[in-house]
Amino acid sequence: MLTPQWLDELRARVTLSSVIGRTTRLTKAGHEFKACCPFHNEKSPSFTVNDQKGFYHCFGCGAHGDVIRWMTDQRGLAFMDAVKELAAEAGMEVPAPDPRAAQRAEQQSTLHDVMAAAQAFFVERLASDEGAKARAYLATRGFDAHTVQRFGFGYAPEGRQALKEALKQFPEALLIEAGLRIAVEDKEPYDRFRGRLMLPIEDARGRVIAFGGRILDAAKTDAPKYLNSPDTPLFDKGRTLYNLHRAGPASRQSGRIVVVEGYMDVIALAAAGIPDAVAPLGTALTERQIEMLWRLVENPVLCFDGDAAGQRAAMRAVTRALPLLRPAHSLRIVRLPAGMDPDDLIKRDGARAMEAQLGQPASLLDVLWEHERDVVPLSTPEDKAGLKARLNSHVETIADGDIKALYRRELMERFSAFAFPPRAQREWQPAGSFRPGYKGGRGAPPPMADPANAARLRQHTGNRDALAAAVLAGLLRFPAEIERHADALARADLADPRFAALVDALDSGEALETPALATILSSRGLAAPSPDEYALLRFGFLADDTPTNQARADLAQAVGLLVERPALEAALADATARFEQDLSDGAYAEQQRLLKRKLEFDARLRQMASARAGGS
């Protein structure tokens, strides 16, 4: 059984132009090759081959395909013969027939039948009296009948067994496996989608593999606004981009692919005449999705809403892309005006305004620099040292050596211009002039660091992970505080991945309740902090008898300490390294000042963590 993953690997290992060039004369043209089309007679070349995207295309006759399609259509080979010949060239072994794989393929075919039947049911219900509320909502969005029909909108009735009754020809187990029904222990399964506007999610061949549903009853605050199918044998949200089967062909005409935050944004753009947009499905853009986009264009344009969640999503995309960067491949980012999404901008200013925004994207490097520069006030030297540390931390994630060196140079040049602006010329003094306040003569070494201070610093750095664990425990006890502190936590350079998981849950619209958060952490391979992790820190917000308002205030103070700590430690490390290289009195004074501030920080932490113990 040839899996899609195996076939993708085969295509990646074989250079398309080298295969086509054996029988067709190709001419290099920029990043592509050109030739007269081998599929029809022509005098001027309209046939192109793109190795980076992995396909050939003729603008004259419309011939299009990958390396396997070339072998079957131009060489006349059977599919398996083409695969075997290419596999031998690529040094890959063709998998032996697997009866279990064949069974899975047959099962997937059956699941496709289930999803097609469900889609037909949802479309039929939208047109019925039951779907009046959904049709009214579509009218408020300005979607005409053509858009509704093209994107396959439907309606899921309120009943818990409505879909089961409509699809009674399929066994219950198949409906559950397709993600359409939810099985609950010791209870009757029920429909996953109820009282929602429905939208099919399709694969690259246009087959329905999942659904997204938008709630229509604004009074239902206990359910997520948008609900997607779970991962199934057909659907992997990390490997799927909504609307890719339509946007891919459109991108070959426009030379652009636009990534927006949600499928309703995609449809709003398409209705406005911008057809080359896709969207991830309830998650941040994954590495696999970035690679999929790069097969279409070298610089996809990511468009984010102009709110705090949109800005966090932009930085998550930046950090996800940095390790993957390779020559000529990057991301471009558009940040919409504050408080606006694509639909808002189009309704207010028209499609041309949206095109204008998409036509002026910022580079990935610009977005990285501006975010880190503006994320916290930079009023003190340690603040600026923290900025430098954060920038270098991002650069270290880049795998390509050339790109890493270029990013480091560009970012450090910007940092130097920002942190060390030109100063007014000082009055010249002859060499050997006396410097007030310095007891040594010319060339005398400055005093070394105070050993007592250094010892106290080493003694009080043991609570590092305990503070993070305590704050996590506090956020799990008071989930509403996650939204209050989301921006600060997202900006801070926190090593514990559990903070990112909680912020992601907030941005994805998941339920912010203590049991749900524990489940969210578990689904990401993480665990809620145990009391042993913060046993030595007796914060008031961890005690059952602390009044709620006081507990939340204490938690806010602890979050402040947690966020402050990485920048302070980075500044101290930078100052210490500078002092070791430059034994000047200025470097020594700066290092001692930061050392004193670090000790004061530890004292504040001890005082706050022991206040409850002292008062009980």
Side-chain angles (χ1 to χ4, degrees):
M1 179 65 183
L2 304 179
T3 65
Q5 294 80 8
W6 190 90
L7 290 172
D8 285 344
E9 179 68 18
L10 175 63
R11 296 183 185 99
R13 288 198 188 187
V14 178
T15 304
L16 179 60
S17 61
S18 66
V19 175
I20 295 178
R22 294 167 191 163
T23 56
T24 302
R25 184 176 180 179
L26 300 176
T27 302
K28 184 71 172 175
H31 295 300
E32 297 183 330
F33 293 89
K34 286 188 175 182
C36 290
C37 181
F39 294 99
H40 78 288
N41 293 324
E42 62 177 5
K43 295 182 179 179
S44 58
S46 61
F47 180 80
T48 62
V49 179
N50 191 311
D51 286 330
Q52 293 174 338
K53 299 175 183 177
F55 65 74
Y56 60 85
H57 182 77
C58 177
F59 292 94
C61 67
H64 183 86
D66 59 14
V67 68
I68 300 174
R69 184 71 175 267
W70 171 265
M71 301 289 282
T72 58
D73 288 6
Q74 206 277 335
R75 295 274 305 279
L77 298 178
F79 176 80
M80 280 306 302
D81 291 336
V83 167
K84 290 177 181 178
E85 184 172 326
L86 291 170
E89 181 178 336
M92 295 175 63
E93 185 175 344
V94 179
D98 183 353
R100 290 174 298 179
Q103 183 181 6
R104 287 196 298 270
E106 183 178 353
Q107 179 188 34
Q108 287 191 352
S109 177
T110 306
L111 287 174
H112 280 302
D113 295 336
V114 171
M115 301 305 278
Q119 169 63 5
F121 169 69
F122 293 142
V123 170
E124 182 271 328
R125 286 294 85 196
L126 179 64
S128 70
D129 292 341
E130 281 184 299
K133 194 170 184 178
R135 294 196 302 273
Y137 171 78
L138 289 170
T140 65
R141 295 297 299 254
F143 297 152
D144 58 21
H146 172 70
T147 300
V148 171
Q149 184 273 331
R150 181 186 179 202
F151 285 92
F153 279 105
Y155 174 69
E158 287 283 359
R160 294 168 66 89
Q161 308 298 329
L163 185 64
K164 178 185 177 181
E165 289 298 318
L167 273 60
K168 60 178 62 177
Q169 70 270 32
F170 297 104
E172 177 90 84
L174 208 56
L175 299 180
I176 294 172
E177 188 173 16
L180 298 171
R181 301 262 293 166
I182 297 177
V184 181
E185 189 175 357
D186 299 329
K187 293 183 180 179
E188 183 180 9
Y190 59 92
D191 292 350
R192 181 179 300 275
F193 300 102
R194 305 182 307 281
R196 290 179 178 270
L197 177 70
M198 298 299 292
L199 195 63
I201 298 168
E202 295 150 308
D203 64 12
R205 295 169 58 182
R207 298 175 298 180
V208 178
I209 57 174
F211 289 97
R214 188 195 190 281
I215 201 166
L216 293 171
D217 187 353
K220 279 192 174 182
T221 58
D222 59 341
K225 183 177 180 181
Y226 289 97
L227 179 66
N228 291 336
S229 293
D231 284 355
T232 69
L234 297 182
F235 176 56
D236 180 346
K237 60 179 176 287
R239 300 172 66 91
T240 304
L241 286 166
Y242 177 74
N243 198 48
L244 184 63
H245 65 296
R246 300 185 190 93
S251 74
R252 288 191 283 273
Q253 300 297 321
S254 66
R256 176 188 72 184
I257 195 82
V258 179
V259 185
V260 290
E261 292 191 50
Y263 35 66
M264 298 302 283
D265 295 327
V266 169
I267 298 168
L269 290 176
I274 303 174
D276 49 2
V278 299
L281 292 155
T283 65
L285 205 61
T286 66
E287 289 88 346
R288 173 62 180 169
Q289 289 167 334
I290 292 173
E291 293 289 353
M292 292 167 63
L293 293 167
W294 279 342
R295 289 182 68 86
L296 295 172
V297 298
E298 292 179 347
N299 289 282
V301 178
L302 277 54
C303 178
F304 294 100
D305 296 352
D307 56 13
Q311 302 316 303
R312 290 196 295 270
M315 270 310 294
R316 281 199 298 272
V318 168
T319 55
R320 189 66 59 86
L322 286 174
L324 308 177
L325 294 179
R326 57 179 183 262
H329 290 75
S330 187
L331 301 177
R332 298 287 185 265
I333 296 176
V334 169
R335 290 170 289 187
L336 296 180
M340 304 196 78
D341 61 23
D343 192 36
D344 296 329
L345 184 62
I346 291 169
K347 285 180 177 177
R348 189 188 75 175
D349 300 332
R352 287 187 178 180
M354 189 69 218
E355 281 285 10
Q357 291 279 341
L358 297 176
Q360 297 180 323
S363 71
L364 190 150
L365 187 144
D366 286 339
V367 171
L368 175 61
W369 163 253
E370 291 170 9
H371 172 84
E372 293 297 355
R373 181 197 63 194
D374 301 338
V375 72
V376 293
L378 300 174
S379 54
T380 66
E382 52 268 32
D383 293 335
K384 294 175 183 178
L387 167 62
K388 181 180 180 181
R390 295 195 302 273
L391 293 173
N392 279 319
S393 177
H394 286 302
V395 170
E396 285 301 319
T397 67
I398 300 174
D400 185 278
D402 290 338
I403 296 176
K404 176 187 287 189
L406 291 167
Y407 261 68
R408 189 184 305 280
R409 177 174 178 177
E410 176 67 24
L411 289 171
M412 288 303 101
E413 285 181 354
R414 296 188 186 193
F415 172 79
S416 296
F418 174 80
F420 308 108
R423 294 181 177 179
Q425 292 290 328
R426 296 181 178 179
E427 181 181 354
W428 178 82
Q429 293 183 359
S433 296
F434 174 73
R435 288 179 290 166
Y438 183 46
K439 303 298 184 181
R442 177 181 175 88
M448 301 303 291
D450 182 352
N453 278 353
R456 290 202 303 275
L457 176 62
R458 289 191 296 271
Q459 180 181 355
H460 296 303
T461 54
N463 290 332
R464 178 178 181 84
D465 295 331
L467 175 59
V471 170
L472 279 166
L475 293 174
L476 293 178
R477 293 196 68 194
F478 301 99
E481 297 301 292
I482 296 175
E483 182 171 8
R484 177 183 175 187
H485 300 295
D487 287 341
L489 294 172
R491 291 194 301 262
D493 184 17
L494 301 178
D496 196 317
R498 291 176 288 190
F499 289 106
L502 296 183
V503 175
D504 284 347
L506 171 67
D507 291 342
S508 301
E510 299 181 60
L512 295 183
E513 300 172 355
T514 299
L517 291 175
T519 302
I520 289 167
L521 292 176
S522 177
S523 69
R524 290 162 170 79
L526 305 170
S530 68
D532 290 341
E533 292 183 61
Y534 50 85
L536 298 179
L537 301 179
R538 302 182 182 182
F539 288 113
F541 58 81
L542 298 175
D544 294 334
D545 57 346
T546 303
T548 300
N549 289 341
Q550 182 60 46
R552 288 175 173 169
D554 290 349
L555 179 57
Q557 291 185 50
V559 170
L561 290 174
L562 181 69
V563 170
E564 178 186 355
R565 185 181 60 194
L568 177 57
E569 292 179 343
L572 177 57
D574 190 65
T576 301
R578 190 162 57 248
F579 171 63
E580 291 172 352
Q581 295 176 1
D582 175 20
L583 297 177
S584 66
D585 51 348
Y588 169 74
E590 177 67 5
Q591 194 259 5
Q592 289 295 296
R593 186 180 69 82
L594 288 170
L595 180 60
K596 180 180 178 182
R597 182 171 170 183
K598 177 64 171 62
L599 295 172
E600 290 172 349
F601 176 93
D602 289 336
R604 280 167 33 219
L605 174 59
R606 289 196 308 275
Q607 181 180 9
M608 184 180 176
S610 62
R612 174 163 183 85
S616 59

